[in-house]
Amino acid sequence: MIGILHVPVAIPLIVGDAGNAASYRYDVVMREISGCSVDEVVRGERATVALRIVATARSLVDDGARAIAGDCGTLLRFQAEVAAAVDVPVLLSPLIAVPLVSALTGGRPVGVLAANSDNVGPTELAWAGIRAEHRVVVEGLQTRAAWRAAIVEESGRLDPDELEADVLHGALALRARVPDVGALVLDCADMPPYGASIQAATGLPVFDALGLADLLAGAVDRGAHVPSHG
């Protein structure tokens, strides 16, 4: 069982979103972090927010979670605290995969699609273990009208086709800006529903929260992911 730290949002979490339990191919338990909106995770009093997130992660482990993931990339801010507080693997943001993706693609630039690039600056990259040699290029979607209304401003409504168009626009803009980009990392948990379209449009490998949750699941339950040879 994978425990998912859920940041409460006023966003419809469609199938494919990392915040929807039906998006996973194995058992997950979504647990809301009480009193932690996205804004509070990003701008709240750090010690107080950390206590809430750590307590939620510990409750998941107490209930049998063998790994902890998150459904909002902003939880990266508390990766170190949560990982130190529990004795199971923790992966709270796709940004943590950037050094691996850089190695997989021969050191070519790694493109990061962010819900809001204002929240993915040098400090956040450093928290993920990202260094200058990883050559990260960030493209934010906060200026795209449909994306901003549904995801950044949490209007409570979304049109998947409109969001897909905005995400594709960002991915293609990033590729045009950096033609030798080696892969894309989707930092936002609301982006995986559009991953296949991004891959088809750009021809690039795409890494996201769901794929990295698969990595966690395989690491803690080999029986569920390795075929029998007997």
Side-chain angles (χ1 to χ4, degrees):
M1 187 261 284
I2 306 297
I4 310 291
L5 295 173
H6 171 60
V7 178
V9 291
I11 299 170
L13 302 177
I14 64 175
V15 174
D17 192 296
N20 185 328
S23 303
Y24 299 85
R25 297 181 291 108
Y26 35 80
D27 290 338
V28 300
V29 172
M30 316 289 300
R31 187 151 299 169
E32 183 173 302
I33 307 165
S34 178
C36 282
S37 65
V38 172
D39 189 65
E40 286 163 329
V41 171
V42 174
R43 300 177 183 85
E45 200 280 314
R46 185 175 182 86
T48 300
V49 175
L51 285 174
R52 293 172 181 167
I53 295 172
V54 166
T56 308
R58 284 176 169 161
S59 74
L60 284 164
V61 174
D62 289 344
D63 288 343
R66 298 174 66 183
I68 300 292
D71 74 349
C72 182
T74 60
L75 289 170
L76 171 68
R77 288 161 172 73
F78 302 94
Q79 169 72 30
E81 288 93 332
V82 176
V86 298
D87 59 358
V88 301
V90 175
L91 201 164
L92 299 187
S93 166
L95 286 182
I96 292 171
V98 166
L100 172 62
V101 174
S102 176
L104 292 175
T105 56
R108 289 189 288 279
V110 178
V112 171
L113 280 184
N116 185 345
S117 56
D118 294 339
N119 294 333
V120 185
T123 299
E124 288 78 13
L125 297 180
W127 283 334
I130 298 168
R131 301 185 298 274
E133 59 264 33
H134 295 130
R135 303 173 65 195
V136 170
V137 181
V138 179
E139 182 77 23
L141 301 184
Q142 67 269 23
T143 62
R144 302 293 300 174
W147 182 269
R148 182 171 189 85
I151 307 301
V152 178
E153 297 175 349
E154 297 187 25
S155 66
R157 300 168 52 248
L158 64 78
D159 182 319
D161 292 335
E162 291 181 349
L163 292 194
E164 181 177 64
D166 281 355
V167 173
L168 287 177
H169 181 277
L172 291 170
L174 191 156
R175 176 127 210 217
R177 184 157 53 105
V178 188
D180 63 336
V181 64
L184 295 176
V185 175
L186 311 185
D187 178 51
C188 178
D190 301 308
M191 292 180 182
Y194 317 107
S197 296
I198 293 169
Q199 188 175 77
T202 64
L204 292 171
V206 175
F207 297 82
D208 63 21
L210 294 184
L212 294 170
D214 288 347
L215 177 68
L216 277 182
V220 300
D221 187 1
R222 298 303 300 163
H225 289 265
V226 177
S228 171
H229 295 288

